[in-house]
Amino acid sequence: MSRAILQIVVCLSLMDSNVLTPDLDIFTIRIRSGVFQRWAASIKTLAGEGEGSTDGTGAAASFMQPEGIAIDSAGNLYVADTFNSTIRKITLAGVVTTVVSATATSTPAAGNAATNGFSGVTIDSGGNLYVADPGNDAIRKITPAGVVTTIVGQPEHAGFTPGPLPGTLTSPRGVALFGTTLYTTSYDAIAQISDVP
């Protein structure tokens, strides 16, 4: 019996009874299904093989340190492909496409600073993505149409300033959304952002 070994896992997401994990060391997105006991579970690679930035299906796609992962209501996965500074979409058939890249964050609406590598990602019921951009000390919002704005933090202005938005954050990495409240890490703290736009 062959065994799959998970190398470096930084984020887990649940979909039905499956656990989805980006595997940093071998640049893949994997699905672990079954009972959470070593002998009763199975692991399969959904997408990716080797490092790179290629869109494609299954092993024809490639990533460069995928980190955060989120799932929309249709079962599509969204992955923060950190070293490629992109957000990638993966269908359940394993088809990988690039949703947004670093150049999309270098716009006036986004705060005129290209990302230095997306990290955490979460999604709301309307299909809007909220993405941690730790290199710019910001949280970005990406609409289903691909419009990128900076909603929290000021690119390249680290700190922690609670109060009215945009405030400041330091190197946010993880993000989670509950209703209209966004939670994020900010260096040595957890920040709560109410009524996210």
Side-chain angles (χ1 to χ4, degrees):
M1 173 172 99
S2 66
R3 294 184 183 210
I5 298 172
L6 295 176
Q7 300 290 332
I8 302 172
V9 176
V10 294
C11 173
L12 300 174
S13 288
L14 297 175
M15 181 178 64
D16 299 325
S17 61
N18 299 315
V19 176
L20 304 162
T21 62
D23 195 330
L24 301 183
D25 197 41
I26 57 174
F27 313 105
T28 60
I29 307 302
R30 304 188 115 173
I31 298 176
R32 179 175 176 169
S33 60
V35 181
F36 291 101
Q37 296 172 348
R38 189 168 62 201
W39 57 89
S42 66
I43 298 173
K44 75 174 187 175
T45 300
L46 178 63
E49 183 171 291
E51 63 184 78
S53 61
T54 306
D55 287 346
T57 302
S62 58
F63 301 88
M64 183 71 96
Q65 192 166 343
E67 284 192 23
I69 190 167
I71 306 163
D72 71 12
S73 59
N76 298 302
L77 314 179
Y78 293 86
V79 177
D81 192 357
T82 303
F83 284 3
N84 284 321
S85 297
T86 58
I87 299 296
R88 314 285 290 282
K89 177 182 177 180
I90 309 171
T91 69
L92 288 178
V95 178
V96 178
T97 55
T98 299
V99 174
V100 69
S101 65
T103 54
T105 63
S106 188
T107 65
N112 283 325
T115 182
N116 289 327
F118 293 122
S119 182
V121 60
T122 190
I123 191 166
D124 69 13
S125 59
N128 297 296
L129 297 169
Y130 296 87
V131 183
D133 184 355
N136 283 307
D137 307 303
I139 304 293
R140 313 287 193 156
K141 177 181 178 180
I142 304 167
T143 69
V147 176
V148 181
T149 54
T150 299
I151 61 160
V152 183
Q154 300 175 51
E156 301 175 348
H157 289 86
F160 183 69
T161 308
L165 295 179
T168 57
L169 297 171
T170 298
S171 192
R173 296 198 71 81
V175 289
L177 190 65
F178 183 73
T180 59
T181 302
L182 182 74
Y183 298 90
T184 184
T185 57
S186 180
Y187 191 60
D188 58 358
I190 305 296
Q192 174 183 312
I193 300 99
S194 302
D195 302 317
V196 292

